[in-house]
Amino acid sequence: MALRLGDIAPDFTAETTQGTINFHEWLGTSWGVLFSHPKDFTPVCTTELGYVAKIKPEFDKRNVKVIGLSVDNVESHLKWEGDIGETQGTPVNFPMIGDPERKVSDLYDMIHPNASDTMTVRSVFVIGPDKKVKLTITYPASTGRNFDEVLRVIDSLQLTAQFKVATPANWKDGGDVIIGAVVSDEEAKVLFPQGWTTVKPYLRVLPQPNK
Ligand code: BEZ
């Protein structure tokens, strides 16, 4: 069955371009992003891995470890990394799992047979420090992902883990937030003594509390 939000991200041991890793051990107390790409030496994937490598400092700043995967093997990944460095202007600075036996792909339901029997789709899993799945996104092979959106969601996940707030449509770090629907006005007075604007009784808006 597909993984659902709140499920424990399945643990595994796998070969990667940076050696053998045990996933949960490797995550430690960090957040994690596990993402699959369909195949090595393909154009969209090349741009995606280059982009993730470029913005890796943004993941580091948020205490997020990033790891890629495809059903090709580690030897193939390492050869392809040469092309990525050459064409995308950055070395690949995160591990890539080789999964020729599809152990991890099956655990995370990354092969969608009605899309392709042989290739993984473009899955993204964001995993919290509690090892629970916080976000899943699936893109088709023909569409490169928006990794700035992944960072944006991580900002929201980390904020809403710390404060009893939610983030509105198209929110970006620093924007106004919404008091969680389960928070009464009495509790909100204690949590947010700086006050808020009541647009409707169920829509209470305030500046981002940690800014
Ligand atoms: C690509 O990365 O360009 C790609 C990979 C597999 C199928 C289609 C496109």
Side-chain angles (χ1 to χ4, degrees), residues 38 42-45 119 122 141:
T42 51
V44 175
C45 301
M119 297 187 295
R122 297 187 196 280

Side-chain angles (χ1 to χ4, degrees), residues 41-150:
F41 299 100
T42 51
V44 175
C45 301
T46 299
T47 62
E48 286 191 325
L49 295 186
Y51 192 74
V52 172
K54 266 184 212 147
I55 63 168
K56 179 154 176 299
E58 292 298 320
F59 288 105
D60 293 341
K61 256 192 341 208
R62 292 162 173 82
N63 188 30
V64 180
K65 291 187 173 178
V66 180
I67 190 162
L69 172 148
S70 88
V71 293
D72 293 309
N73 62 30
V74 165
E75 200 187 359
S76 164
H77 291 345
L78 288 169
K79 275 194 204 135
W80 182 33
E81 283 189 2
D83 288 0
I84 296 169
E86 185 189 319
T87 61
Q88 306 303 306
T90 173
V92 177
N93 47 13
F94 53 86
M96 299 242 289
I97 297 166
D99 195 33
E101 289 167 7
R102 305 179 182 191
K103 283 187 199 156
V104 182
S105 312
D106 284 344
L107 265 181
Y108 281 78
D109 199 30
M110 289 165 165
I111 294 182
H112 296 194
N114 289 326
S116 166
D117 276 337
T118 54
M119 297 187 295
T120 39
V121 291
R122 297 187 196 280
S123 300
V124 182
F125 295 90
V126 175
I127 296 152
D130 56 3
K131 309 289 184 292
K132 289 186 179 167
V133 175
K134 306 294 181 188
L135 173 77
T136 65
I137 323 181
T138 308
Y139 286 59
S142 51
T143 304
R145 283 160 282 200
N146 184 337
F147 287 96
D148 295 333
E149 167 64 0
V150 176

Side-chain angles (χ1 to χ4, degrees), residues 180-210:
V182 295
V183 179
S184 66
D185 278 349
E186 287 62 42
E187 191 186 357
K189 277 180 203 152
V190 178
L191 295 175
F192 309 111
Q194 68 275 36
W196 63 85
T197 303
T198 301
V199 182
K200 288 280 179 191
Y202 56 84
L203 179 53
R204 298 162 295 173
V205 178
L206 78 161
Q208 185 172 324
N210 58 352

